[in-house]
Amino acid sequence: MNKSIRSKLFVSITFLLIFFISVLWILNNLYLEQYYINKKKNILIQNAKKLTDIYTGNAQDIQDELDRTANITGSNIDIIDKAGNPLYRSFRRVPNEKNVMDNSKFKPDMQPPPDQIKLNQYTEGEYTFETRSDVQLKIDFLTLVTKLNNGDILAIRVPLVSISESVDIADKFIIITGIIIVILGSIWAYLFSKKFTKPILEVNNIARNMAKFNFDEKCKIVGKDEVGQLGQSVNYLSGELNRAITELNIKNKKLEEDIEKERKIDEMRKEFISSVSHELRTPLAVIQGYAEGLVSNVTENEEDRKFYCDVIMNETDKMNKLVKDLLNLSQIESGYFHIEKTEFNITSLIEYVLNKYKSIFAEKNIEIKFELGESCIISGDMVRIEQILTNYINNAINHVDNNRIVKISQIVNNDKIKINVFNTGKHINEESLEKIWNSFYKVDKARTRSYGGYGLGLSIVKAIQDLHNNGYGVENIEGGVTFWFEVDKVNFS
Ligand SMILES: Nc1ncnc2c1ncn2[C@@H]1O[C@H](COP(=O)(O)OP(=O)(O)OP(=O)(O)O)[C@@H](O)[C@H]1O
Ligand SMILES: [Mg+2]
């Protein structure tokens, strides 16, 4: 509180008041008396001038003017000739006072009478001033003496009775009014400084909140003065800062997401490379082993040699498939791959694919059911959609159980057709449902190895559907598993 503007303002205003009142008091004490005497002197000089001017007139006029002046100014006036004989004397209708000449024939520089003490005497131009103290009356007098035109002497005397008393009274009055002014002034200063600093404190408070990133509070200062403008500026600043920080936060979040995405992609790339090298290592080792066997001629008979060659060719085929699938996947996922959309009959395509598989189904003793609905035209990349069908059907053949049923159905909606490939068999566990769409992911490794799968088929499906902007998925349903994908229906209107 000690250093606050409020207390500084309060203390300064109070001090200023005390200072002015003290100055007033000092001036009163030092100069009021002098000022009063000067004023009196001026009045005496003016009267003297006036009397000098009229002194040429008749005696009655002179006497009248003397009386008038004496009564107005409260002075006693005497005019004496050069020899000191009184010529005129003012008559005052106020309590009787001794005239200048009562005690003596007045002459400048004369010794004061015994009951009067001469305090000082000085000459200013044609006027001589003299201050005397009347011991008996206890009154000070100021007397002006000047020569009139014909050499007669004019003396005007005024009492200085009240001045020192007046100074005392004024002193006391100044002290009393001073105390009242200081008290009232301090109250006013307190209220004013409070009112003055309130908006500043408000702005300060808001600035502090801003430093804590709290931009909810706004200045409610309504004035149009500098503080009001400051409040508005702070409000504007707060709004802009809020906007900037929000924007920055959003960008920061996006950047974090991008970094995370980048990190995941990098991780996936590493995983991918390690998976590919892992998948290649096994067939390469087998090929190497059997090739060395052939070279060292471990086997004598033709049949065994043929077996060795078959194994090598089989492994080569597998590697070939892997390389092809990989190329296929990387091509689709590259970002440069464009699907070639055409309009074609999806029902016919399914029938065509199933026709190709006919012998395989027969050979594997699998019952194939195709629930033919209405014949539908769709829009999409036919080669790729055939690839999806093939991958789903291959998987169904590889995972069908002893019930040996594969069922294909289509559900027609407004602008999409959902194609389901169902096979009887074991459910896929919950946590694998998401992961099977990643490359090289296999739920049951042993089983996948038995049919020579690499875990790439479904990731190819995912990549193709992403390019088509269409959905895909898998559901465990009663008795088996259904894989589905959507295609764009063409509506003829
Ligand atoms: N119809 C299905 N029933 C049960 N599990 C399945 C079925 N289809 C796929 N899976 C599981 O999903 C995994 C990934 O399938 P995906 O088609 O991607 O690879 P794959 O068939 O093993 O090999 P590839 O397709 O590359 O020859 C499979 O290894 C298998 O574990
Ligand atoms: Mg597959």
Side-chain angles (χ1 to χ4, degrees):
M1 178 69 190
N2 276 344
K3 283 178 185 165
S4 73
I5 293 185
R6 182 179 291 184
S7 51
K8 274 185 200 163
L9 209 60
F10 171 71
V11 169
S12 322
I13 294 174
T14 310
F15 263 107
L16 203 65
L17 285 173
I18 293 172
F19 173 74
F20 281 132
I21 287 160
S22 306
V23 167
L24 193 64
W25 185 81
I26 291 167
L27 288 179
N28 182 55
N29 270 292
L30 290 182
Y31 299 110
L32 186 62
E33 194 163 359
Q34 191 56 47
Y35 178 75
Y36 172 78
I37 289 170
N38 280 343
K39 275 272 168 209
K40 283 275 177 195
K41 267 159 73 180
N42 284 342
I43 290 169
L44 290 181
I45 289 170
Q46 273 170 20
N47 288 329
K49 277 184 180 157
K50 209 157 71 184
L51 291 171
T52 312
D53 287 348
I54 58 112
Y55 194 57
T56 48
N58 68 49
Q60 189 54 49
D61 287 349
I62 293 170
Q63 184 61 52
D64 285 351
E65 188 56 36
L66 242 63
D67 292 345
R68 216 175 72 82
T69 310
N71 277 296
I72 289 171
T73 55
S75 54
N76 287 9
I77 306 172
D78 291 280
I79 296 177
I80 53 174
D81 64 11
K82 280 170 228 160
N85 303 313
L87 297 174
Y88 297 94
R89 170 168 293 175
S90 65
F91 172 74
R92 280 181 60 199
R93 291 172 183 81
V94 285
N96 223 0
E97 275 178 25
K98 285 181 186 171
N99 267 8
V100 182
M101 306 302 167
D102 278 0
N103 299 315
S104 61
K105 299 251 175 352
F106 183 85
K107 247 189 187 170
D109 294 331
M110 67 172 53
Q111 280 302 310
D115 56 349
Q116 287 186 12
I117 302 165
K118 188 161 145 188
L119 297 176
N120 64 355
Q121 184 188 355
Y122 50 93
T123 306
E124 287 179 11
E126 52 197 291
Y127 307 109
T128 303
F129 292 97
E130 194 181 274
T131 331
R132 286 189 189 178
S133 183
D134 191 316
V135 181
Q136 224 180 337
L137 293 176
K138 290 182 184 141
I139 301 174
D140 290 352
F141 297 99
L142 176 66
T143 309
L144 173 146
V145 180
T146 187
K147 264 199 181 123
L148 293 168
N149 295 336
N150 63 355
D152 291 344
I153 293 165
L154 168 72
I156 313 175
R157 189 185 68 173
V158 284
L160 293 177
V161 59
S162 53
I163 185 60
S164 53
E165 236 175 78
S166 294
V167 170
D168 276 354
I169 290 169
D171 252 7
K172 283 183 187 130
F173 185 72
I174 286 171
I175 289 169
I176 291 167
T177 48
I179 289 171
I180 293 171
I181 286 172
V182 168
I183 291 172
L184 290 179
S186 312
I187 294 171
W188 179 83
Y190 175 75
L191 294 176
F192 172 76
S193 55
K194 200 171 164 182
K195 188 171 156 37
F196 181 77
T197 51
K198 193 175 168 244
I200 297 175
L201 291 177
E202 195 181 325
V203 170
N204 186 30
N205 193 27
I206 283 161
R208 267 182 212 196
N209 277 334
M210 275 162 64
K212 290 178 199 151
F213 294 104
N214 174 4
F215 302 104
D216 295 338
E217 286 207 33
K218 291 269 176 288
C219 274
K220 296 174 200 82
I221 307 164
V222 280
K224 288 208 162 35
D225 57 6
E226 287 85 344
V227 181
Q229 283 170 10
L230 176 67
Q232 279 171 10
S233 301
V234 167
N235 279 350
Y236 176 73
L237 180 70
S238 163
E240 286 297 294
L241 263 177
N242 192 9
R243 208 171 50 75
I245 287 176
T246 313
E247 228 166 68
L248 210 69
N249 276 342
I250 292 171
K251 280 189 182 150
N252 201 27
K253 208 166 191 180
K254 185 154 183 318
L255 199 72
E256 273 173 14
E257 280 170 11
D258 284 355
I259 290 171
E260 180 62 20
K261 219 190 259 172
E262 197 62 27
R263 200 184 58 76
K264 274 196 180 139
I265 288 172
D266 201 50
E267 223 167 64
M268 274 162 64
R269 196 175 296 130
K270 278 184 195 151
E271 219 176 274
F272 185 81
I273 290 169
S274 94
S275 299
V276 173
S277 40
H278 176 82
E279 295 295 348
L280 284 174
R281 205 176 298 132
T282 324
L284 277 173
V286 174
I287 291 169
Q288 193 184 15
Y290 280 76
E292 277 170 4
L294 276 177
V295 170
S296 59
N297 229 354
V298 277
T299 48
E300 295 290 312
N301 72 51
E302 186 68 20
E303 211 175 302
D304 283 353
R305 256 204 305 274
K306 190 175 176 301
F307 171 73
Y308 271 54
C309 286
D310 280 350
V311 170
I312 290 173
M313 274 164 72
N314 200 9
E315 291 301 319
T316 319
D317 276 351
K318 274 192 202 164
M319 276 172 60
N320 203 18
K321 177 183 177 294
L322 172 66
V323 172
K324 260 205 232 154
D325 281 354
L326 272 177
L327 281 174
N328 203 339
L329 185 64
S330 75
Q331 191 190 18
I332 299 169
E333 281 183 338
S334 67
Y336 300 106
F337 182 77
H338 293 289
I339 48 171
E340 281 167 30
K341 278 193 176 180
T342 50
E343 291 181 2
F344 59 93
N345 189 320
I346 182 74
T347 324
S348 309
L349 181 72
I350 297 171
E351 281 177 323
Y352 165 76
V353 173
L354 287 181
N355 207 29
K356 278 208 291 191
Y357 275 89
K358 223 165 153 188
S359 55
I360 299 172
F361 284 132
E363 185 191 312
K364 299 202 177 230
N365 197 20
I366 294 170
E367 182 187 347
I368 174 76
K369 293 183 178 174
F370 179 35
E371 291 168 0
L372 254 178
E374 54 181 307
S375 187
C376 286
I377 304 295
I378 63 143
S379 158
D381 187 324
M382 191 162 76
V383 178
R384 299 297 156 185
I385 289 173
E386 186 186 336
Q387 199 174 5
I388 296 175
L389 269 172
T390 314
N391 285 356
Y392 276 179
I393 293 169
N394 277 337
N395 284 354
I397 294 170
N398 288 328
H399 293 93
V400 72
D401 66 358
N402 291 333
N403 291 326
R404 312 206 79 69
I405 298 171
V406 172
K407 192 163 76 188
I408 298 180
S409 59
Q410 63 181 43
I411 300 167
V412 182
N413 291 318
N414 270 348
D415 23 279
K416 302 274 178 195
I417 298 171
K418 189 175 174 190
I419 293 158
N420 297 313
V421 177
F422 166 84
N423 67 275
T424 54
K426 256 179 29 186
H427 281 174
I428 300 172
N429 63 56
E430 205 52 40
E431 64 179 283
S432 296
L433 285 176
E434 286 260 327
K435 294 181 186 163
I436 50 173
W437 305 96
N438 300 338
S439 346
F440 296 109
Y441 185 83
K442 302 144 199 164
V443 181
D444 181 347
K445 286 206 171 87
R447 182 171 184 144
T448 308
R449 198 178 306 119
S450 72
Y451 62 83
Y454 289 110
L456 289 175
L458 291 181
S459 40
I460 291 172
V461 171
K462 176 180 172 221
I464 294 171
Q465 283 303 80
D466 284 346
L467 282 179
H468 276 93
N469 264 332
N470 274 330
Y472 56 89
V474 56
E475 278 161 34
N476 288 319
I477 62 168
E478 205 189 323
V481 179
T482 294
F483 279 81
W484 59 268
F485 68 100
E486 278 179 338
V487 288
D488 295 319
K489 183 180 161 199
V490 176
N491 288 316
F492 298 98
S493 51

mmCIF file of all heavy atoms in Angstrom, residues 2 4 10 20 32 40 65 74 78 116 127 138 163 192-193 198 200 227 251 257-258 287 297 329 336 368 401 405 476:
data_model
loop_
_atom_site.group_PDB
_atom_site.id
_atom_site.type_symbol
_atom_site.label_atom_id
_atom_site.label_comp_id
_atom_site.label_asym_id
_atom_site.label_seq_id
_atom_site.Cartn_x
_atom_site.Cartn_y
_atom_site.Cartn_z
ATOM 1 N N ASN A 2 2.053 1.154 0.720
ATOM 2 C CA ASN A 2 2.891 2.329 0.875
ATOM 3 C C ASN A 2 3.335 2.924 -0.443
ATOM 4 O O ASN A 2 3.458 4.118 -0.580
ATOM 5 C CB ASN A 2 4.136 1.956 1.692
ATOM 6 C CG ASN A 2 3.811 2.033 3.160
ATOM 7 O OD1 ASN A 2 2.809 2.628 3.505
ATOM 8 N ND2 ASN A 2 4.624 1.426 3.980
ATOM 9 N N SER A 4 1.813 2.465 -3.376
ATOM 10 C CA SER A 4 0.788 2.503 -4.409
ATOM 11 C C SER A 4 0.517 3.938 -4.842
ATOM 12 O O SER A 4 0.760 4.887 -4.101
ATOM 13 C CB SER A 4 -0.494 1.868 -3.890
ATOM 14 O OG SER A 4 -1.087 2.728 -2.973
ATOM 15 N N PHE A 10 -2.700 10.527 -2.501
ATOM 16 C CA PHE A 10 -3.327 11.009 -1.273
ATOM 17 C C PHE A 10 -2.336 11.861 -0.475
ATOM 18 O O PHE A 10 -2.618 12.993 -0.090
ATOM 19 C CB PHE A 10 -3.812 9.802 -0.459
ATOM 20 C CG PHE A 10 -4.271 10.150 0.921
ATOM 21 C CD1 PHE A 10 -5.452 10.840 1.115
ATOM 22 C CD2 PHE A 10 -3.517 9.783 2.030
ATOM 23 C CE1 PHE A 10 -5.872 11.164 2.388
ATOM 24 C CE2 PHE A 10 -3.927 10.117 3.293
ATOM 25 C CZ PHE A 10 -5.110 10.808 3.479
ATOM 26 N N PHE A 20 0.431 24.989 1.143
ATOM 27 C CA PHE A 20 -0.185 26.267 0.774
ATOM 28 C C PHE A 20 -0.675 27.018 2.007
ATOM 29 O O PHE A 20 -0.512 28.237 2.120
ATOM 30 C CB PHE A 20 -1.336 26.056 -0.204
ATOM 31 C CG PHE A 20 -0.847 25.837 -1.610
ATOM 32 C CD1 PHE A 20 -1.332 24.798 -2.382
ATOM 33 C CD2 PHE A 20 0.119 26.702 -2.158
ATOM 34 C CE1 PHE A 20 -0.869 24.602 -3.667
ATOM 35 C CE2 PHE A 20 0.573 26.504 -3.453
ATOM 36 C CZ PHE A 20 0.084 25.454 -4.206
ATOM 37 N N LEU A 32 1.816 40.924 6.221
ATOM 38 C CA LEU A 32 0.485 41.542 6.302
ATOM 39 C C LEU A 32 0.583 42.952 6.905
ATOM 40 O O LEU A 32 -0.013 43.899 6.400
ATOM 41 C CB LEU A 32 -0.476 40.664 7.116
ATOM 42 C CG LEU A 32 -1.906 41.178 7.123
ATOM 43 C CD1 LEU A 32 -2.486 41.187 5.722
ATOM 44 C CD2 LEU A 32 -2.801 40.352 8.034
ATOM 45 N N LYS A 40 -2.154 52.038 3.993
ATOM 46 C CA LYS A 40 -2.501 53.262 4.734
ATOM 47 C C LYS A 40 -1.744 54.452 4.163
ATOM 48 O O LYS A 40 -2.291 55.538 3.982
ATOM 49 C CB LYS A 40 -2.146 53.095 6.213
ATOM 50 C CG LYS A 40 -3.154 52.227 6.975
ATOM 51 C CD LYS A 40 -4.323 53.055 7.439
ATOM 52 C CE LYS A 40 -5.365 52.174 8.139
ATOM 53 N NZ LYS A 40 -6.647 52.837 8.301
ATOM 54 N N GLU A 65 -13.927 69.900 3.219
ATOM 55 C CA GLU A 65 -13.187 68.768 2.602
ATOM 56 C C GLU A 65 -12.351 68.056 3.647
ATOM 57 O O GLU A 65 -12.260 66.826 3.681
ATOM 58 C CB GLU A 65 -12.305 69.313 1.463
ATOM 59 C CG GLU A 65 -11.634 68.237 0.612
ATOM 60 C CD GLU A 65 -12.615 67.253 -0.008
ATOM 61 O OE1 GLU A 65 -13.742 67.658 -0.391
ATOM 62 O OE2 GLU A 65 -12.278 66.038 -0.070
ATOM 63 N N GLY A 74 -11.083 58.019 8.721
ATOM 64 C CA GLY A 74 -10.840 57.842 10.156
ATOM 65 C C GLY A 74 -9.540 58.494 10.580
ATOM 66 O O GLY A 74 -8.815 57.977 11.424
ATOM 67 N N ASP A 78 -4.586 68.261 10.235
ATOM 68 C CA ASP A 78 -4.283 69.639 10.678
ATOM 69 C C ASP A 78 -3.515 70.363 9.605
ATOM 70 O O ASP A 78 -2.713 69.745 8.897
ATOM 71 C CB ASP A 78 -3.401 69.602 11.937
ATOM 72 C CG ASP A 78 -4.169 69.092 13.129
ATOM 73 O OD1 ASP A 78 -4.905 69.855 13.730
ATOM 74 O OD2 ASP A 78 -4.060 67.836 13.390
ATOM 75 N N GLN A 116 4.181 60.393 24.153
ATOM 76 C CA GLN A 116 4.304 59.724 22.851
ATOM 77 C C GLN A 116 5.755 59.315 22.592
ATOM 78 O O GLN A 116 6.675 60.039 22.935
ATOM 79 C CB GLN A 116 3.852 60.667 21.730
ATOM 80 C CG GLN A 116 2.345 60.834 21.711
ATOM 81 C CD GLN A 116 1.881 61.646 20.521
ATOM 82 O OE1 GLN A 116 2.641 61.912 19.596
ATOM 83 N NE2 GLN A 116 0.606 62.040 20.573
ATOM 84 N N TYR A 127 6.941 63.709 0.810
ATOM 85 C CA TYR A 127 6.204 63.346 2.007
ATOM 86 C C TYR A 127 7.129 62.831 3.092
ATOM 87 O O TYR A 127 8.036 62.062 2.818
ATOM 88 C CB TYR A 127 5.158 62.264 1.695
ATOM 89 C CG TYR A 127 4.254 62.661 0.547
ATOM 90 C CD1 TYR A 127 4.351 62.035 -0.691
ATOM 91 C CD2 TYR A 127 3.286 63.666 0.725
ATOM 92 C CE1 TYR A 127 3.541 62.394 -1.733
ATOM 93 C CE2 TYR A 127 2.465 64.034 -0.327
ATOM 94 C CZ TYR A 127 2.587 63.410 -1.555
ATOM 95 O OH TYR A 127 1.786 63.778 -2.581
ATOM 96 N N LYS A 138 -2.097 53.648 24.215
ATOM 97 C CA LYS A 138 -1.571 52.373 23.699
ATOM 98 C C LYS A 138 -1.986 52.171 22.239
ATOM 99 O O LYS A 138 -2.537 51.121 21.853
ATOM 100 C CB LYS A 138 -2.038 51.187 24.552
ATOM 101 C CG LYS A 138 -1.392 51.172 25.918
ATOM 102 C CD LYS A 138 -1.831 49.976 26.705
ATOM 103 C CE LYS A 138 -1.259 50.028 28.097
ATOM 104 N NZ LYS A 138 -2.174 49.588 29.113
ATOM 105 N N ILE A 163 -3.719 46.715 13.490
ATOM 106 C CA ILE A 163 -2.982 45.825 12.590
ATOM 107 C C ILE A 163 -2.361 44.615 13.257
ATOM 108 O O ILE A 163 -2.545 43.484 12.817
ATOM 109 C CB ILE A 163 -1.953 46.617 11.756
ATOM 110 C CG1 ILE A 163 -1.285 45.683 10.722
ATOM 111 C CG2 ILE A 163 -0.920 47.299 12.633
ATOM 112 C CD1 ILE A 163 -2.248 45.071 9.780
ATOM 113 N N PHE A 192 -10.827 10.846 -4.068
ATOM 114 C CA PHE A 192 -10.400 11.088 -5.450
ATOM 115 C C PHE A 192 -9.354 10.067 -5.872
ATOM 116 O O PHE A 192 -9.436 9.476 -6.950
ATOM 117 C CB PHE A 192 -9.840 12.509 -5.566
ATOM 118 C CG PHE A 192 -9.210 12.787 -6.901
ATOM 119 C CD1 PHE A 192 -10.006 13.013 -8.017
ATOM 120 C CD2 PHE A 192 -7.829 12.802 -7.047
ATOM 121 C CE1 PHE A 192 -9.426 13.255 -9.244
ATOM 122 C CE2 PHE A 192 -7.251 13.032 -8.266
ATOM 123 C CZ PHE A 192 -8.056 13.266 -9.378
ATOM 124 N N SER A 193 -8.367 9.852 -4.970
ATOM 125 C CA SER A 193 -7.298 8.923 -5.351
ATOM 126 C C SER A 193 -7.856 7.512 -5.521
ATOM 127 O O SER A 193 -7.427 6.760 -6.390
ATOM 128 C CB SER A 193 -6.171 8.937 -4.321
ATOM 129 O OG SER A 193 -6.697 8.665 -3.054
ATOM 130 N N LYS A 198 -8.901 3.256 -9.150
ATOM 131 C CA LYS A 198 -9.713 2.051 -9.317
ATOM 132 C C LYS A 198 -9.576 1.440 -10.727
ATOM 133 O O LYS A 198 -9.266 0.253 -10.857
ATOM 134 C CB LYS A 198 -11.179 2.371 -9.007
ATOM 135 C CG LYS A 198 -12.018 1.136 -8.843
ATOM 136 C CD LYS A 198 -13.427 1.502 -8.416
ATOM 137 C CE LYS A 198 -14.305 0.289 -8.551
ATOM 138 N NZ LYS A 198 -15.343 0.438 -9.523
ATOM 139 N N ILE A 200 -7.220 1.855 -12.835
ATOM 140 C CA ILE A 200 -5.833 1.414 -13.062
ATOM 141 C C ILE A 200 -5.623 0.051 -12.425
ATOM 142 O O ILE A 200 -5.018 -0.855 -13.014
ATOM 143 C CB ILE A 200 -4.835 2.442 -12.497
ATOM 144 C CG1 ILE A 200 -5.008 3.766 -13.239
ATOM 145 C CG2 ILE A 200 -3.408 1.953 -12.638
ATOM 146 C CD1 ILE A 200 -4.176 4.894 -12.715
ATOM 147 N N VAL A 227 -7.257 6.598 -19.267
ATOM 148 C CA VAL A 227 -7.392 5.300 -18.591
ATOM 149 C C VAL A 227 -8.440 4.448 -19.311
ATOM 150 O O VAL A 227 -8.263 3.240 -19.495
ATOM 151 C CB VAL A 227 -7.747 5.497 -17.103
ATOM 152 C CG1 VAL A 227 -7.868 4.163 -16.407
ATOM 153 C CG2 VAL A 227 -6.691 6.335 -16.417
ATOM 154 N N LYS A 251 -2.261 -25.190 -33.965
ATOM 155 C CA LYS A 251 -1.152 -25.542 -34.870
ATOM 156 C C LYS A 251 -0.186 -26.498 -34.185
ATOM 157 O O LYS A 251 0.312 -27.436 -34.799
ATOM 158 C CB LYS A 251 -0.421 -24.275 -35.303
ATOM 159 C CG LYS A 251 -1.168 -23.567 -36.414
ATOM 160 C CD LYS A 251 -0.383 -22.448 -37.017
ATOM 161 C CE LYS A 251 -1.220 -21.767 -38.091
ATOM 162 N NZ LYS A 251 -0.915 -20.372 -38.230
ATOM 163 N N GLU A 257 0.535 -34.047 -33.882
ATOM 164 C CA GLU A 257 -0.106 -35.174 -34.572
ATOM 165 C C GLU A 257 0.714 -35.599 -35.788
ATOM 166 O O GLU A 257 0.919 -36.791 -36.036
ATOM 167 C CB GLU A 257 -1.521 -34.774 -35.021
ATOM 168 C CG GLU A 257 -2.542 -34.837 -33.897
ATOM 169 C CD GLU A 257 -3.858 -34.198 -34.313
ATOM 170 O OE1 GLU A 257 -4.036 -33.916 -35.513
ATOM 171 O OE2 GLU A 257 -4.687 -33.967 -33.434
ATOM 172 N N ASP A 258 1.183 -34.562 -36.524
ATOM 173 C CA ASP A 258 1.983 -34.857 -37.720
ATOM 174 C C ASP A 258 3.250 -35.620 -37.344
ATOM 175 O O ASP A 258 3.629 -36.595 -37.999
ATOM 176 C CB ASP A 258 2.367 -33.557 -38.436
ATOM 177 C CG ASP A 258 1.171 -32.997 -39.197
ATOM 178 O OD1 ASP A 258 0.125 -33.687 -39.218
ATOM 179 O OD2 ASP A 258 1.276 -31.888 -39.740
ATOM 180 N N ILE A 287 15.808 -72.941 -50.522
ATOM 181 C CA ILE A 287 16.355 -73.053 -51.884
ATOM 182 C C ILE A 287 17.849 -73.329 -51.816
ATOM 183 O O ILE A 287 18.374 -74.234 -52.489
ATOM 184 C CB ILE A 287 16.073 -71.761 -52.692
ATOM 185 C CG1 ILE A 287 14.575 -71.643 -52.992
ATOM 186 C CG2 ILE A 287 16.862 -71.747 -54.004
ATOM 187 C CD1 ILE A 287 14.149 -70.303 -53.554
ATOM 188 N N ASN A 297 25.308 -83.650 -55.142
ATOM 189 C CA ASN A 297 24.836 -84.941 -55.650
ATOM 190 C C ASN A 297 24.582 -85.950 -54.538
ATOM 191 O O ASN A 297 24.950 -87.109 -54.632
ATOM 192 C CB ASN A 297 25.896 -85.509 -56.615
ATOM 193 C CG ASN A 297 25.208 -85.952 -57.894
ATOM 194 O OD1 ASN A 297 23.978 -85.924 -57.972
ATOM 195 N ND2 ASN A 297 25.998 -86.372 -58.853
ATOM 196 N N LEU A 329 1.179 -53.892 -53.644
ATOM 197 C CA LEU A 329 0.812 -53.079 -52.476
ATOM 198 C C LEU A 329 1.527 -51.732 -52.504
ATOM 199 O O LEU A 329 0.917 -50.678 -52.313
ATOM 200 C CB LEU A 329 1.168 -53.838 -51.195
ATOM 201 C CG LEU A 329 0.752 -53.175 -49.899
ATOM 202 C CD1 LEU A 329 -0.759 -53.066 -49.811
ATOM 203 C CD2 LEU A 329 1.269 -53.968 -48.694
ATOM 204 N N TYR A 336 0.847 -42.203 -55.871
ATOM 205 C CA TYR A 336 0.816 -41.799 -57.283
ATOM 206 C C TYR A 336 -0.143 -42.667 -58.091
ATOM 207 O O TYR A 336 -0.388 -42.437 -59.253
ATOM 208 C CB TYR A 336 2.210 -41.888 -57.900
ATOM 209 C CG TYR A 336 3.200 -41.001 -57.180
ATOM 210 C CD1 TYR A 336 4.169 -41.538 -56.335
ATOM 211 C CD2 TYR A 336 3.138 -39.616 -57.324
ATOM 212 C CE1 TYR A 336 5.055 -40.718 -55.662
ATOM 213 C CE2 TYR A 336 4.016 -38.796 -56.655
ATOM 214 C CZ TYR A 336 4.980 -39.350 -55.826
ATOM 215 O OH TYR A 336 5.854 -38.543 -55.158
ATOM 216 N N ILE A 368 -20.380 -73.719 -52.518
ATOM 217 C CA ILE A 368 -20.404 -72.275 -52.733
ATOM 218 C C ILE A 368 -21.833 -71.804 -52.933
ATOM 219 O O ILE A 368 -22.579 -72.362 -53.738
ATOM 220 C CB ILE A 368 -19.476 -71.860 -53.908
ATOM 221 C CG1 ILE A 368 -19.623 -70.359 -54.234
ATOM 222 C CG2 ILE A 368 -19.695 -72.696 -55.140
ATOM 223 C CD1 ILE A 368 -18.939 -69.485 -53.255
ATOM 224 N N ASP A 401 -14.037 -74.173 -42.376
ATOM 225 C CA ASP A 401 -13.908 -75.342 -41.484
ATOM 226 C C ASP A 401 -14.543 -76.571 -42.132
ATOM 227 O O ASP A 401 -14.829 -76.562 -43.331
ATOM 228 C CB ASP A 401 -14.508 -75.037 -40.114
ATOM 229 C CG ASP A 401 -16.013 -74.837 -40.180
ATOM 230 O OD1 ASP A 401 -16.555 -74.913 -41.312
ATOM 231 O OD2 ASP A 401 -16.629 -74.586 -39.130
ATOM 232 N N ILE A 405 -18.655 -74.399 -46.125
ATOM 233 C CA ILE A 405 -19.598 -73.554 -46.874
ATOM 234 C C ILE A 405 -19.000 -72.154 -47.055
ATOM 235 O O ILE A 405 -18.504 -71.551 -46.099
ATOM 236 C CB ILE A 405 -20.957 -73.422 -46.144
ATOM 237 C CG1 ILE A 405 -21.625 -74.785 -46.015
ATOM 238 C CG2 ILE A 405 -21.888 -72.431 -46.863
ATOM 239 C CD1 ILE A 405 -22.849 -74.810 -45.148
ATOM 240 N N ASN A 476 -17.521 -61.209 -37.001
ATOM 241 C CA ASN A 476 -17.714 -62.592 -36.569
ATOM 242 C C ASN A 476 -19.223 -62.796 -36.450
ATOM 243 O O ASN A 476 -19.873 -62.087 -35.686
ATOM 244 C CB ASN A 476 -17.073 -62.800 -35.197
ATOM 245 C CG ASN A 476 -15.550 -62.812 -35.284
ATOM 246 O OD1 ASN A 476 -14.983 -63.393 -36.219
ATOM 247 N ND2 ASN A 476 -14.906 -62.181 -34.310
#
